[in-house]
Amino acid sequence: EADIYQTPRYLVIGTGKKITLECSQTMGHDKMYWYQQDPGMELHLIHYSYGVNSTEKGDLSSESTVSRIRTEHFPLTLESARPSHTSQYLCASRAHSNYGYTFGSGTRLTVV
Amino acid sequence: SQKIEQNSEALNIQEGKTATLTCNYTNYSPAYLQWYRQDPGRGPVFLLLIRENEKEKRKERLKVTFDTTLKQSLFHITASQPADSATYLCALGDTGGFKTIFGAGTRLFVKA
């Protein structure tokens, strides 16, 4: 019973295309995050937000941008997709900084 | 650099036995440590959080210990079941919650 939703679940796209990965949560959490994860590897923070109109870059900004216009919505945009962007993208939220994260099911992106 | 080490080799155990997974870390002074379960192609699911001043925490069949001197956490699943088969991730967080780092996880297989 996920309270955080990511779309699409899978996406195959050509090099150079612009894409937006959607993330919405219904829990009213102020803190939201985007992580990137390759198979068998650690999660790496791409972007995070501590509330509306607040966005920060993480360790791996990966030429992407985010916006936080509404509390529940935190989309990630790749302006020009490259094969190196092929990965799983995970959106997460939490109520407070020392609470556990609630993750979405992820978007598996393949750039050909 | 800050680093989390989890056993990269899969752990195979028989149903009914206790599974013990290890999380070691270096160059980090965490305020808390979290454990997550991740199934293939899905986002991690939060299981337990233990704070730096806590030695042990339990939740149903799960037990976590946290030794800040050894820089190690142990995660136990008692009376393991095949449904417990998954990858288990360890994550460390600082006081402000600005910097959470994740381990790559340990794959657990429970045989019937």
Side-chain angles (χ1 to χ4, degrees):
Chain A
E1 62 291 280
D3 295 308
I4 184 163
Y5 306 93
Q6 289 187 245
T7 57
R9 284 282 283 125
Y10 303 94
L11 180 62
V12 180
I13 199 164
T15 299
K17 297 292 185 183
K18 178 179 178 179
I19 56 171
T20 296
L21 307 184
E22 300 290 345
C23 176
S24 294
Q25 51 99 1
T26 59
M27 298 168 284
H29 290 168
D30 284 327
K31 296 173 175 54
M32 295 190 74
Y33 308 80
W34 275 102
Y35 282 91
Q36 185 175 338
Q37 185 185 31
D38 293 316
M41 303 296 288
E42 304 90 341
L43 278 70
H44 292 284
L45 183 65
I46 311 172
H47 293 279
Y48 60 99
S49 167
Y50 283 172
V52 170
N53 295 325
S54 150
T55 61
E56 300 289 342
K57 291 187 175 185
D59 301 326
L60 267 186
S61 298
S62 65
E63 297 125 16
S64 58
T65 59
V66 291
S67 63
R68 191 86 183 276
I69 299 172
R70 303 196 316 265
T71 297
E72 62 272 21
H73 195 214
F74 190 42
L76 174 78
T77 298
L78 282 173
E79 292 294 333
S80 179
R82 298 208 302 261
S84 61
H85 293 138
T86 295
S87 188
Q88 167 144 286
Y89 292 83
L90 293 163
C91 181
S93 72
R94 56 181 178 174
H96 301 289
S97 296
N98 58 354
Y99 281 34
Y101 293 84
T102 300
F103 283 90
S105 294
T107 293
R108 167 64 65 185
L109 174 66
T110 302
V111 183
V112 298
Chain B
S1 62
Q2 300 162 338
K3 191 173 180 181
I4 293 179
E5 291 181 0
Q6 294 188 256
N7 197 337
S8 59
E9 289 185 17
L11 178 64
N12 292 280
I13 64 167
Q14 202 65 35
E15 182 177 11
K17 300 293 186 183
T18 296
T20 298
L21 288 75
T22 305
C23 172
N24 295 299
Y25 61 92
T26 55
N27 299 322
Y28 200 102
S29 295
Y32 56 88
L33 185 148
Q34 304 171 47
W35 283 90
Y36 291 81
R37 169 188 174 134
Q38 187 172 27
D39 292 293
R42 312 295 293 188
V45 174
F46 172 69
L47 296 174
L48 279 168
L49 181 149
I50 184 167
R51 303 184 195 283
E52 60 176 333
N53 59 350
E54 297 176 312
K55 297 293 185 187
E56 181 179 299
K57 183 162 275 190
R58 293 175 186 258
K59 179 183 177 183
E60 298 172 351
R61 294 186 295 113
L62 308 181
K63 185 179 86 170
V64 171
T65 63
F66 191 14
D67 189 325
T68 55
T69 302
L70 291 178
K71 296 186 182 295
Q72 181 183 77
S73 173
L74 299 179
F75 177 78
H76 306 273
I77 305 175
T78 58
S80 60
Q81 304 165 359
D84 294 327
S85 299
T87 296
Y88 290 87
L89 310 179
C90 165
L92 301 176
D94 61 3
T95 304
F98 299 112
K99 184 79 175 178
T100 299
I101 58 174
F102 284 83
T106 298
R107 189 83 169 92
L108 172 67
F109 292 98
V110 181
K111 293 182 262 191

